Amino acid sequence: MKRSLKFSTRLTMIIFVWLMSFNTLTAQWVWQNPLPQGNTLLGVSFTDANTGTVVGNSGTILRTTNGGVNWNTQSSGTTLPLYVVSFSDANNGTAVGYTGTILRTTNGGVNWNLQSSGTTVILFCVSFTDTNNGTAVGATGTILHTTNGGVNWNLQSSGTTYNLIGVSFTDANNGTAVGATGTILRTTNGGVNWNLQSSGTTNLLEGVFFTDPNNGTAVGLGGTILRTTNGGVNWNSQTSGTTNLLYTVSFTDANNGTAVGLNGTILRTTNGGVNWNLQSSGTTNYLHSVSFTDANTGTAVGLSGTTLRTTNGGVNWNLQSSGTILALNSVSFTNATTGTAVGSNGTIVRTTNGGVNWNLQSSGTTLALTGVSFTDANNGTAVGGTGGVSGTILRTTNGGMNWNLQSTANYLYGVSFTDANNGTAVGAYGTILRTTNGGVNWSLQSGTTNYLLAVSFTNANNGTAVGLSGTILRTTNGGVNWNLQTNGTTSDLYGVSFTDANNGTAVGFTGTILRTTNGGVNWNLQSSGTTDNLTGVSFTDSNNETVVGVNGIILRTTNGGVNWNLQICGTTSQLYGVSFTDANNGTVVGGGGTILRTGIPPLPAPILISPSNGAINLPSTISFDWNSVPTATSYRIRVANDSLFTSIVKDSTVSVDSIILSGFLANGLYYWKVAAINAVGTGLYSTVWHFQINSIGINNYSSIIPKEFKLYENFPNPFNPTTKIRFDLPKNSSVKILVYDMIGREIQQLVNKELKAGAYEYEFNGSYYASGIYFYRMQSAEYLSVKKMVLIK
């Protein structure tokens, strides 16, 4: 029902598709930062407050069933960009994207199946009104229509060759498509005929949303907002208050709507667009799509995996994604668990548990950091600079708790230490700096005037530096002399790695891979299978190497480069740095804060056992139980008053797979989840379950059998914080009593069970709720009644 990336920016984001003839190796590359994903997210569709799906670059599909507390990756079967997704219910959904891609699920994304679209043009948007009827639009005026859930997609005549970017249908017949140069097309017969409407603008229109056949809104370039109340006979311009491009818009009724766009723009209206008010998103990242399920509950997604969530109509937008999105340029691990990555704006992040958690460290600089080298868990050096003539060197001896400025020079691109004292840094204009005392003093060495971009030492004496125009310099005496080596290429070289004095690899421009087995006396060109730039290399032994590059390229060899195999990593982000500590355990970093990890799969999420999900009328002492996770040494259990865990009431670590908690749970609704822990770190959290405490319970206060069903006024009313609710049952009945807030949201289930005939009393505790008006509703097979109560604190 929405759209996402816009034509103007989409064309710059179209991703190179791998069509290589060589074999691909399957490797488990897991996103560690940002979370839950770092790929740009382009489309979002929620069917209720909890159940939603987002799609994006590299075939990304993420799914949540708890309002975004947890996002689970689904297999799309493609690495092509997916621009938008439309669900008609929790199970049936369709995603569209690059080169005519259409994916369909009928089981909530457990399986996504490729459908035949009959076209190779980009499909920008899709709208389904029910399980069967849907319309997709795309480049050069393409409109596709299905009446059988996508089994067949039929081309419809749009009457235009302009790109169509957004489409919205309210039922099987009534729909509107928008696109380039202010194009608006309208159909009232399911697309048999599409009629051009006058938009009054030539601005690119990116998104459109109708709540019924008459009321609709279109948004686009320059903050354009157009509104119709008569099915598009007239489109009236509204004042948005911004000139930022607006990508998409979502309405829950004729009055309440939200538009999102460039630089984190979020606009909100509660009066059908008479007024649009700017809301604080807390981000400057592009927001490409937004989906609301009611006037209060919505999710927006965008650049570098940004995910925002509101439950109060946008008064507050909470970031659900986490981790830096600044580019990371280099990474250094000293063992399988301890590593540091550096990047733009002085960014330094550190892990001590194999990347399960990455913690931001204070570098004390805003200069770009382009290289980092650690020799053990404590001693490390980072280098960088700005503008080619201004450099920086940072040093830590305590694992990054403190980073100290050591020296400035020309921009430094690479650094290599062989022990805590001996290190070399290289950079602009052929700069080579050498230290033998851990950076207390740096001495300038001479070798070339070409920019040097990477350096690798295997011991205090033997090192190699590479740079522009195929430059390779070699030293065997700690840099006293640097000798130019002949390699047969003039391609720029961006990365180099040696495992010993003889075996090394250099990588660079247009897929260049050079290999030596004799310390650089001879450099042999290897076939990489790509013409994309390769930016980093990590060598663990003479056979096992990994190379990374632009467009998410990861190449792997297990035979010293005789064969290089492409690995699927799930992103097309630029990858700049790679570090392996052995043949299996490695980490890759890159653009948008990308951190990918292979070799140590995260601990699986525990499966919750009790209290069962949705349990009610529990005592204040609760026994929590979950299944054991292999290799787990302990577990973390969290209990909160809300599903987003912003109000934690208990956060405990236990050594067994159960715990009894008492003394702190008052009557009310609670949410809980559990994660396993071992030496690697904290694993994935379980799904979120909820339960209700009612330590008093239901009291059958009279032996007299009532003559009729009846729900009484609560007493006292108003109340603080408890009140009694009485009800009568003239015969055995299945009874449900629920409490709702002013806007109709269910906040607590008091009774949901079979009760014998009798007169009952329930004590409701409002301690965890705000002052205000609440409603309680009693329902059985033969009776329904609603009463109002007022909580005053």
Side-chain angles (χ1 to χ4, degrees):
M1 309 176 190
K2 245 103 292 79
R3 130 39 336 238
S4 307
L5 237 214
K6 285 18 217 111
F7 178 65
S8 53
T9 44
R10 278 178 176 159
L11 291 186
T12 64
M13 298 181 66
I14 292 174
I15 310 303
F16 174 80
V17 184
W18 281 87
L19 295 173
M20 295 185 172
S21 59
F22 55 80
N23 295 329
T24 62
L25 287 181
T26 300
Q28 186 185 20
W29 286 96
V30 179
W31 273 101
Q32 291 191 328
N33 185 86
L35 292 175
Q37 267 266 4
N39 290 326
T40 292
L41 303 176
L42 305 176
V44 57
S45 176
F46 271 74
T47 53
D48 58 50
N50 291 314
T51 307
T53 299
V54 298
V55 299
N57 279 350
S58 304
T60 297
I61 302 181
L62 302 174
R63 174 84 164 176
T64 183
T65 55
N66 55 15
V69 176
N70 302 104
W71 288 93
N72 301 309
T73 301
Q74 295 186 329
S75 175
S76 67
T78 182
T79 57
L80 297 174
L82 299 174
Y83 292 132
V84 77
V85 61
S86 175
F87 271 75
S88 56
D89 56 52
N91 291 313
N92 292 279
T94 299
V96 300
Y98 192 55
T99 64
T101 298
I102 301 181
L103 300 176
R104 176 77 171 173
T105 182
T106 56
N107 54 14
V110 175
N111 304 105
W112 285 92
N113 301 308
L114 184 66
Q115 294 186 328
S116 175
S117 66
T119 183
T120 57
V121 304
I122 300 172
L123 297 177
F124 290 125
C125 196
V126 63
S127 175
F128 270 76
T129 55
D130 56 51
T131 303
N132 292 312
N133 291 280
T135 299
V137 300
T140 63
T142 299
I143 301 180
L144 301 175
H145 189 63
T146 182
T147 56
N148 56 13
V151 175
N152 303 105
W153 287 92
N154 302 308
L155 186 66
Q156 295 184 329
S157 175
S158 67
T160 183
T161 57
Y162 287 122
N163 295 306
L164 298 175
I165 314 297
V167 62
S168 176
F169 271 73
T170 54
D171 55 51
N173 292 313
N174 292 280
T176 299
V178 301
T181 67
T183 299
I184 301 181
L185 301 176
R186 176 76 172 170
T187 184
T188 56
N189 55 13
V192 175
N193 303 106
W194 286 92
N195 302 308
L196 184 66
Q197 295 185 328
S198 175
S199 66
T201 183
T202 57
N203 284 343
L204 170 69
L205 297 177
E206 297 274 3
V208 61
F209 195 99
F210 273 73
T211 54
D212 56 58
N214 291 315
N215 292 279
T217 300
V219 299
L221 187 67
T224 299
I225 301 181
L226 303 177
R227 176 77 171 172
T228 183
T229 56
N230 57 12
V233 175
N234 304 106
W235 287 91
N236 302 307
S237 180
Q238 296 185 328
T239 301
S240 66
T242 183
T243 58
N244 284 332
L245 174 65
L246 298 175
Y247 287 135
T248 192
V249 60
S250 174
F251 274 75
T252 54
D253 54 51
N255 291 315
N256 292 279
T258 301
V260 299
L262 286 186
N263 301 323
T265 299
I266 301 181
L267 300 176
R268 176 77 171 171
T269 182
T270 56
N271 56 14
V274 175
N275 304 106
W276 287 92
N277 301 308
L278 187 65
Q279 294 186 328
S280 175
S281 66
T283 183
T284 57
N285 289 337
Y286 295 6
L287 298 175
H288 294 302
S289 188
V290 62
S291 176
F292 271 75
T293 53
D294 56 52
N296 291 308
T297 307
T299 298
V301 299
L303 186 67
S304 299
T306 299
T307 307
L308 300 174
R309 175 81 167 175
T310 182
T311 55
N312 57 11
V315 175
N316 304 105
W317 286 91
N318 302 308
L319 193 63
Q320 290 188 320
S321 49
S322 63
T324 182
I325 61 168
L326 294 173
L328 297 173
N329 300 317
S330 184
V331 61
S332 176
F333 270 75
T334 54
N335 56 44
T337 59
T338 305
T340 298
V342 300
S344 299
N345 291 2
T347 300
I348 301 179
V349 290
R350 170 84 164 177
T351 182
T352 56
N353 56 13
V356 175
N357 304 106
W358 286 90
N359 301 309
L360 191 64
Q361 295 186 330
S362 176
S363 67
T365 183
T366 57
L367 297 181
L369 299 176
T370 51
V372 63
S373 177
F374 271 74
T375 54
D376 56 52
N378 292 314
N379 292 278
T381 299
V383 300
T386 183
V389 295
S390 179
T392 189
I393 301 177
L394 301 176
R395 177 74 172 171
T396 182
T397 57
N398 56 13
M401 293 177 59
N402 304 103
W403 286 92
N404 303 307
L405 184 66
Q406 288 193 325
S407 176
T408 57
N410 291 329
Y411 198 126
L412 298 173
Y413 293 109
V415 61
S416 176
F417 272 73
T418 55
D419 56 51
N421 292 313
N422 291 279
T424 299
V426 298
Y429 308 110
T431 299
I432 303 177
L433 298 176
R434 176 74 172 172
T435 182
T436 56
N437 56 12
V440 176
N441 304 107
W442 287 91
S443 303
L444 186 63
Q445 295 182 333
S446 176
T448 183
T449 58
N450 283 339
Y451 276 46
L452 296 174
L453 305 179
V455 61
S456 175
F457 271 74
T458 54
N459 55 42
N461 291 314
N462 292 280
T464 300
V466 299
L468 297 187
S469 303
T471 300
I472 300 181
L473 297 176
R474 174 76 170 173
T475 183
T476 56
N477 56 12
V480 175
N481 303 107
W482 286 92
N483 302 308
L484 188 64
Q485 293 187 328
T486 300
N487 58 72
T489 183
T490 58
S491 294
D492 296 337
L493 300 175
Y494 302 128
V496 62
S497 176
F498 273 73
T499 54
D500 54 51
N502 291 313
N503 291 279
T505 298
V507 300
F509 189 65
T510 62
T512 298
I513 299 180
L514 298 173
R515 171 80 167 170
T516 183
T517 56
N518 56 12
V521 175
N522 303 106
W523 286 92
N524 301 308
L525 187 65
Q526 295 185 328
S527 175
S528 66
T530 180
T531 57
D532 280 335
N533 296 340
L534 302 176
T535 52
V537 57
S538 179
F539 223 160
T540 54
D541 56 53
S542 58
N543 290 313
N544 291 279
E545 288 181 83
T546 300
V547 172
V548 300
V550 301
N551 295 325
I553 290 175
I554 300 180
L555 300 176
R556 177 77 170 167
T557 183
T558 55
N559 56 12
V562 175
N563 303 106
W564 286 94
N565 301 303
L566 175 67
Q567 295 190 324
I568 304 302
C569 66
T571 185
T572 51
S573 294
Q574 313 301 305
L575 302 178
Y576 300 126
V578 55
S579 177
F580 271 73
T581 53
D582 56 50
N584 295 312
N585 292 284
T587 299
V588 171
V589 300
T594 297
I595 301 179
L596 303 173
R597 176 77 171 172
T598 189
I600 304 182
L603 281 168
I607 298 173
L608 305 185
I609 299 175
S610 67
S612 60
N613 195 24
I616 63 173
N617 298 325
L618 299 179
S620 58
T621 297
I622 300 289
S623 177
F624 295 89
D625 190 22
W626 54 91
N627 77 310
S628 298
V629 174
T631 77
T633 56
S634 60
Y635 299 88
R636 184 179 183 182
I637 177 172
R638 307 188 84 193
V639 183
N641 293 127
D642 64 289
S643 61
L644 296 179
F645 288 78
T646 58
S647 177
I648 302 292
V649 296
K650 193 68 174 179
D651 191 340
S652 297
T653 300
V654 296
S655 59
V656 293
D657 54 12
S658 63
I659 184 176
I660 296 176
L661 300 177
S662 63
F664 72 95
L665 296 176
N667 287 358
L669 179 65
Y670 295 92
Y671 298 83
W672 68 295
K673 61 183 179 179
V674 178
I677 303 172
N678 66 9
V680 174
T682 302
L684 301 174
Y685 271 102
S686 66
T687 56
V688 177
W689 281 11
H690 66 276
F691 62 89
Q692 291 180 6
I693 296 293
N694 175 26
S695 58
I696 298 174
I698 303 170
N699 176 29
N700 189 343
Y701 66 89
S702 174
S703 60
I704 300 174
I705 302 300
K707 295 182 180 180
E708 61 180 358
F709 288 99
K710 188 170 185 179
L711 177 64
Y712 294 90
E713 299 288 344
N714 62 298
F715 180 82
N717 193 25
F719 65 98
N720 180 26
T722 61
T723 187
K724 293 182 179 180
I725 297 173
R726 290 187 172 183
F727 59 98
D728 292 343
L729 302 177
K731 60 181 181 179
N732 296 354
S733 303
S734 178
V735 180
K736 181 181 289 187
I737 299 180
L738 305 174
V739 179
Y740 298 88
D741 63 14
M742 268 291 289
I743 61 174
R745 293 179 301 185
E746 179 186 328
I747 65 167
Q748 191 167 337
Q749 187 178 105
L750 306 185
V751 180
N752 186 12
K753 63 189 301 185
E754 183 80 23
L755 293 176
K756 293 182 179 180
Y760 292 89
E761 179 180 86
Y762 187 102
E763 185 169 355
F764 172 68
N765 189 329
S767 298
Y768 286 94
Y769 303 115
S771 297
I773 297 174
Y774 295 86
F775 300 91
Y776 57 101
R777 178 177 182 265
M778 172 182 166
Q779 182 176 2
S780 70
E782 303 175 49
Y783 181 76
L784 176 65
S785 181
V786 179
K787 304 289 183 182
K788 180 174 71 174
M789 57 184 174
V790 180
L791 174 60
I792 299 177
K793 292 186 176 181

